[in-house]
Every structure is written in structure tokens, then in C-alpha cells.
């Protein structure tokens, strides 16, 4: 089909600038929220050196809020992206494909934005399902795709600014039959997909949690499990042989009975995971800062946490001083009044406020003072 004939086949009157601008505003807002909260998540999980000693352990539920918003805005972006593509796709067949240098830059911005955005929402959605059918690392790829998408978005806005500005206000827009109904339908689809998935992190929406991959109240001891003891290779941990070793200026070891005999504290803290689910529980155990003081650690010292985990990339993690010295950070031995189940990290695990779930190390066997 010739380009001119192809253009004439796009008969809907909603392939027009005002509709594209309105949906673009909504999509842009979702992208901005997703991008900023994603930066927070990445910074908490893998902080650069200059940020490492400034990570805050408060607010206690900070990671639940930011990661919850990240996943909710990412899911909301899916119908918005589809609507936006449908509105503007006839322009992809415009002829000639490149008319000037500025037009070429505009096309380049669209390629970057479209490619990165589609990959970003696709991989992000599969991450909520914990399904990784690709050979590349998810987290690093997701991070850099976000920057490419934002770069493409800024380039697209700059190239399209005159058209965006001319159609920004409703008063200046040409009336098009069906536009209001179309936009209402898009808005309702966004509200619907958000409502039936947000319950995995928003407690008062839990009853409507129909399509979310995880229910925060289902699992051993009322909590979900991302990584089981069998998957980590710790299912055969023998209590009689287990020791907690604390390495610092003063090195010492404790059996589980000796650890239980130390002063115990209880804190209500969240497990919040990068997949978007959060669950609250009563955790009981020994304060990490008490263990560090017994080892003679200085106030600004970080902590290396070593797990019995034999498989996986988080057998050893680092905890910044702000978390290690927080009175709510525990080496937990019980959850909701019960001894930790093997899948929740028996005999001992880390639980700290405002921290990604992947860093709440389970099956802890060793704490090392760093610095």
C-alpha cells in the first residue's frame, strides 16, 4: 500500500494532537513518579560510595511507600502507553519519513522513548511475577533503560514543544466528537488496573487485590516468602551446630541459646520487596547495635552480614551505620511470637526499617564490623 493510501486508512478523528497531549501528560506523570521512586529504590539497594553513609533508616515505612508507588505507577503506565501509541501511531507512517534535521531528531527521540518505555514496562511487569526469561540482569538493565526513556522523553518534549503548547489548554483545543469518552475510558482503565493490583502494598485495598501476583498475608507465619530455605540451600541447618560469630575489635561467638538469653526487643517492621509487595509483622530479637557495642565497634562502623545461603547473589550484604545503630534494627529470632520458620530465615535474620527486602538477610551466621 502506498504511503498516501495508507494515511487515508487511519479514519478515527481521535488521532489528533489534543488527545495525544492529554494522554501524554498522564503518561509523563506516571513516568516521572516511576523514575524518581526507582532511583530511590536503586540508591537504597546499591548506593554509590558518596551516598552510602547518608542512607536514612526513617521513615520506617519509607521503602513501602516509594516502592509501592514505583510499581503502581509502572502498572498504570501500561494502559496509558497503549492509549498513547494508538493515538499517534498513524504518524509512524508519515511520508517522507525524515524531512529535516529537527524532524530526524524528533524521530530519534521517539525511537529511544518507545523502545526503552516498552522494554521498561514489560520487564518491570515480569519482575512483579518474579519471572526472568531473559539472559541479562534485570535490576541493572531496568535502571539504565529508565535513563534512556527519560532522555528520549525530554528530546521528544523539546521537539514537540510548539505542538504540545498549542494543545495544552482545553480552551484552545478544537472540539472532536468522542474525545471525552475516549479519555474517560482510558482513565477508568488506569484506575481499574491500579486498584486491583495496589492491594499488595496498600492495606486498605487488599480486598480488591484481584490481579496482583502476591497477597501480603499469605505464606508461612502470615508472611509471603520470595526465597525459600530449599532454594537457598539452608534447609538442613542444624541448631546444635549453628553459631553466630561477631567479628570486631572484640570477637565472640554465641549459640542460639545464648542469643535467646540476651535482652530481647520487639519492633513492628515491614518486609517490602522490589516486586511491589509489603507486609508488616512483629519481629523479636536482639538489637544489632547491642551486638556491635559488645564487639567494641565504633559508632560510624558499617556492618557486613554473612548468611548461610549457598546459592544466590545476596549471601553477603553490607549494612550502613545508620541502620546498624538504629534501635529498631534487630537480629530477629521470632516473628509474630513464633520461632522463625526456615523460609523466614531460621535461626536468625536481619530486619531493619526503611530497607529493601532483599537486604533483610536471612539465615545469618556472621556479623563483621567494617571500618
Amino acid at each position: 500500500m502506498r504511503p498516501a493510501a495508507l494515511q487515508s486508512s487511519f479514519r478515527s478523528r481521535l488521532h489528533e494532537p489534543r488527545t495525544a497531549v492529554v494522554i501524554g501528560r498522564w503518561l509523563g506523570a506516571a513516568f516521572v513518579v516511576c523514575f524518581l521512586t526507582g532511583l530511590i529504590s536503586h540508591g537504597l539497594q546499591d548506593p554509590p560510595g558518596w551516598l552510602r553513609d547518608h542512607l536514612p533508616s526513617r521513615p520506617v515505612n519509607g521503602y513501602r511507600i516509594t516502592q509501592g508507588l514505583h510499581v503502581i505507577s509502572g502498572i498504570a503506565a501500561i494502559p496509558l502507553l497503549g492509549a498513547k501509541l494508538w493515538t499517534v501511531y498513524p504518524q509512524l507512517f508519515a511520508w517522507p519519513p525524515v524531512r529535516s534535521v529537527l524532524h530526524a531528531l524528533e524521530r530519534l527521540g521517539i525511537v529511544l522513548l518507545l523502545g526503552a518505555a516498552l522494554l521498561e514496562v514489560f520487564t518491570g511487569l515480569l519482575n512483579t511475577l518474579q519471572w526472568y526469561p531473559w539472559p541479562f540482569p534485570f535490576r541493572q538493565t531496568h535502571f539504565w533503560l529508565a535513563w534512556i526513556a527519560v532522555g528520549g522523553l525530554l528530546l521528544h518534549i523539546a521537539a514537540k514543544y510548539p505542538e504540545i503548547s498549542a494543545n495544552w489548554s482545553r480552551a484552545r483545543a478544537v472540539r472532536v466528537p468522542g474525545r471525552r469518552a475516549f479519555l474517560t475510558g482510558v482513565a477508568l482503565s488506569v484506575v481499574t488496573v491500579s486498584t486491583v493490583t495496589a492491594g499488595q502494598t496498600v492495606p486498605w485495598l487488599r480486598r480488591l487485590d484481584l490481579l496482583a501476583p502476591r497477597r501480603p498475608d499469605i505464606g508461612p507465619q502470615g508472611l509471603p516468602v520470595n526465597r525459600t530455605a530449599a532454594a537457598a540451600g539452608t534447609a538442613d541447618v542444624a541448631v546444635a551446630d549453628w553459631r553466630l560469630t561477631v567479628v570486631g575489635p572484640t570477637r565472640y561467638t554465641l549459640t542460639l541459646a545464648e542469643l535467646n538469653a540476651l535482652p530481647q526487643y520487639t519492633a513492628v517492621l515491614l518486609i517490602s520487596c522490589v516486586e511491589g509487595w509489603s507486609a508488616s509483622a512483629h519481629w523479636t530479637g536482639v538489637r544489632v547495635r547491642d551486638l556491635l557495642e559488645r564487639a567494641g565497634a565504633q559508632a560510624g562502623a558499617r556492618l557486613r552480614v554473612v548468611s548461610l545461603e549457598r546459592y544466590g547473589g545476596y549471601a553477603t550484604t553490607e549494612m550502613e551505620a545508620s541502620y546498624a545503630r538504629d534501635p529498631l534494627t534487630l537480629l530477629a529470632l521470632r516473628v509474630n511470637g513464633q520461632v522463625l520458620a526456615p523460609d523466614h530465615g531460621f535461626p536468625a535474620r536481619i530486619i531493619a526499617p526503611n530497607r529493601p527486602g532483599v537486604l533483610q538477610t536471612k539465615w545469618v551466621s556472621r556479623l563483621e564490623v567494617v571500618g
Side-chain angles (χ1 to χ4, degrees), residues 1 16 29 38 45 49 62 90 133 145 153 205 216 253 281 285 288 313 328 347:
M1 184 178 292
E16 52 88 32
Q45 189 167 337
L145 277 175
L153 178 62
L205 287 176
T253 61
V288 168
L328 293 181

Side-chain angles (χ1 to χ4, degrees), residues 311-333:
Y311 313 115
Y314 291 93
T316 300
T317 59
E318 286 210 358
M319 177 184 288
E320 295 72 21
S322 56
Y323 295 102
R325 291 290 174 172
D326 192 296
L328 293 181
T329 299
L330 301 176
L331 184 68
L333 306 174

Side-chain angles (χ1 to χ4, degrees), residues 28 31-32 109 113 148-158:
F31 273 5
V32 168
L113 175 58
I148 294 173
V150 167
L153 178 62
L154 293 176
L155 190 57
H156 179 66
I157 292 174

Side-chain angles (χ1 to χ4, degrees), residues 281-339:
H282 289 72
W283 303 89
T284 301
V286 180
R287 293 193 304 199
V288 168
R289 75 177 189 182
D290 293 346
L291 296 171
L292 294 184
E293 288 172 1
R294 180 171 173 172
Q298 297 196 2
R302 293 196 297 273
L303 185 64
R304 182 176 296 121
V305 182
V306 181
S307 170
L308 293 169
E309 189 173 344
R310 285 183 286 178
Y311 313 115
Y314 291 93
T316 300
T317 59
E318 286 210 358
M319 177 184 288
E320 295 72 21
S322 56
Y323 295 102
R325 291 290 174 172
D326 192 296
L328 293 181
T329 299
L330 301 176
L331 184 68
L333 306 174
R334 289 178 290 281
V335 59
N336 293 330
Q338 301 176 338
V339 172

Side-chain angles (χ1 to χ4, degrees), residues 5-343:
L6 186 62
Q7 283 288 309
S8 65
S9 67
F10 304 127
R11 296 178 179 175
S12 174
R13 299 182 65 179
L14 294 175
H15 300 308
E16 52 88 32
R18 169 64 182 169
T19 304
V21 168
V22 173
I23 295 177
R25 288 197 309 227
W26 298 347
L27 182 59
F31 273 5
V32 168
V33 171
C34 208
F35 177 68
L36 294 178
T37 51
L39 289 184
I40 293 173
S41 178
H42 193 82
L44 288 175
Q45 189 167 337
D46 189 15
W50 59 269
L51 182 61
R52 177 170 293 173
D53 292 323
H54 304 286
L55 295 181
S57 61
R58 305 298 170 93
V60 171
N61 61 349
Y63 192 69
R64 165 188 257 181
I65 295 171
T66 57
Q67 190 60 21
L69 282 173
H70 181 71
V71 174
I72 291 170
S73 58
I75 290 176
I78 294 174
L80 288 173
L81 190 57
K84 175 73 171 176
L85 284 175
W86 180 85
T87 306
V88 302
Y89 85 91
Q91 296 183 28
L92 300 177
F93 300 93
W95 200 263
V98 175
R99 297 190 292 272
S100 64
V101 174
L102 182 61
H103 191 232
L105 289 175
E106 177 196 333
R107 289 280 167 136
L108 176 62
I110 291 174
V111 169
L112 290 176
L113 175 58
L114 185 58
L118 288 174
L119 272 174
E120 193 77 340
V121 297
F122 175 71
T123 56
L125 181 62
L126 292 193
N127 178 61
T128 67
L129 304 171
Q130 292 188 295
W131 183 31
Y132 308 101
W134 46 74
F136 49 81
F138 165 74
R139 186 167 56 84
Q140 293 86 344
T141 306
H142 200 65
F143 175 76
W144 289 112
L145 277 175
W147 283 102
I148 294 173
V150 167
L153 178 62
L154 293 176
L155 190 57
H156 179 66
I157 292 174
K160 286 285 190 179
Y161 180 77
E163 194 171 354
I164 293 173
S165 178
N167 292 278
W168 189 266
S169 170
R170 181 192 303 175
R172 298 171 59 185
V174 177
R175 293 179 64 87
V176 173
R179 179 196 290 145
R180 177 170 296 183
F182 177 70
L183 293 177
T184 301
V186 172
L188 287 175
S189 69
V190 171
V191 171
T192 300
V193 299
S194 301
T195 303
V196 298
T197 54
Q200 61 181 342
T201 192
V202 182
W204 55 272
L205 287 176
R206 192 157 297 166
R207 288 187 175 183
L208 302 175
D209 197 7
L210 303 176
L211 297 182
R214 195 64 64 92
R215 277 286 302 268
D217 55 347
I218 295 178
Q221 300 175 311
L223 290 172
V225 171
N226 265 8
R227 186 167 175 76
T228 65
T234 63
D236 56 350
V237 172
V239 176
D241 298 331
W242 182 85
R243 298 287 187 280
L244 173 70
T245 301
V246 183
V247 180
T250 302
R251 177 185 177 125
Y252 60 93
T253 61
L254 296 168
T255 64
L256 184 57
E258 290 171 331
L259 203 55
N260 272 305
L262 295 177
Q264 304 288 302
Y265 296 86
T266 296
V268 179
L269 291 173
L270 293 155
I271 291 286
S272 302
C273 285
V274 70
E275 295 86 6
W277 63 266
S278 299
S280 178
H282 289 72
W283 303 89
T284 301
V286 180
R287 293 193 304 199
V288 168
R289 75 177 189 182
D290 293 346
L291 296 171
L292 294 184
E293 288 172 1
R294 180 171 173 172
Q298 297 196 2
R302 293 196 297 273
L303 185 64
R304 182 176 296 121
V305 182
V306 181
S307 170
L308 293 169
E309 189 173 344
R310 285 183 286 178
Y311 313 115
Y314 291 93
T316 300
T317 59
E318 286 210 358
M319 177 184 288
E320 295 72 21
S322 56
Y323 295 102
R325 291 290 174 172
D326 192 296
L328 293 181
T329 299
L330 301 176
L331 184 68
L333 306 174
R334 289 178 290 281
V335 59
N336 293 330
Q338 301 176 338
V339 172
L340 292 174
D343 287 346

